[in-house]
Every structure is written in structure tokens, then in C-alpha cells.
Amino acid sequence: MTTNNYLSHKLITARDLQKIGFTPYRSKMIIRTAKAELVKKGYVMYNNPRLGDVPPEIVAEITGVSLLDLRGAISNEEK
């Protein structure tokens, strides 16, 4: 059985994206786009309006921001 890269790390919310500099609107649109992409890839659990957390890998793909930059910025904000 293969491991699932999209579910193996801390998830990112729109609030996390706002903390690193995205506007509230842009943050929500990134999460919405990420959820749509995950549903297309077969992760049907993301087809739920109440689910607002997405894997950092898909956010990095959408925004073009490196995964290390995302993780570093979010972990620095939590301290």
C-alpha cells in the first residue's frame, strides 16, 4: 500500500495563509481551489463545505510558494 503524501503533514487553513500575508479573500480562494483540485484527484472527503484544512503540498502547487517557505512562515507565526 502506498503512503498518501497529501495527508501526511500538518494541514493549512485560510487563517494560516492570512498570517503569512495573503488577503482574507485570496486565502479563501486558495483553500477553495485546493479543495477542488483534491476532489479531482480522488480525495472526495474534500467535497465538504465544512472542511477548511488542506495539505501544504497542494497550497504550494497553487501559489508557487515553496513548501519550506510555507512551513517556515506558519511555524514562525505560531511561536
Side-chain angles (χ1 to χ4, degrees), residues 16-55:
D16 292 332
L17 293 172
Q18 290 173 28
K19 288 178 185 176
I20 62 173
F22 288 98
T23 64
Y25 174 79
R26 187 69 181 141
S27 299
K28 290 175 188 173
M29 291 308 296
I30 291 169
I31 297 298
R32 183 177 292 167
T33 303
K35 288 174 60 175
E37 287 297 316
L38 288 165
V39 170
K40 284 181 191 176
K41 292 181 180 188
Y43 300 99
V44 293
M45 69 182 208
Y46 287 101
N47 196 15
N48 180 345
R50 289 179 270 172
L51 184 61
D53 304 342
V54 295

Side-chain angles (χ1 to χ4, degrees), residues 59-71:
V59 173
E61 288 176 22
I62 293 167
T63 61
V65 177
S66 81
L67 191 55
L68 293 175
D69 290 343
L70 279 174
R71 286 188 184 150

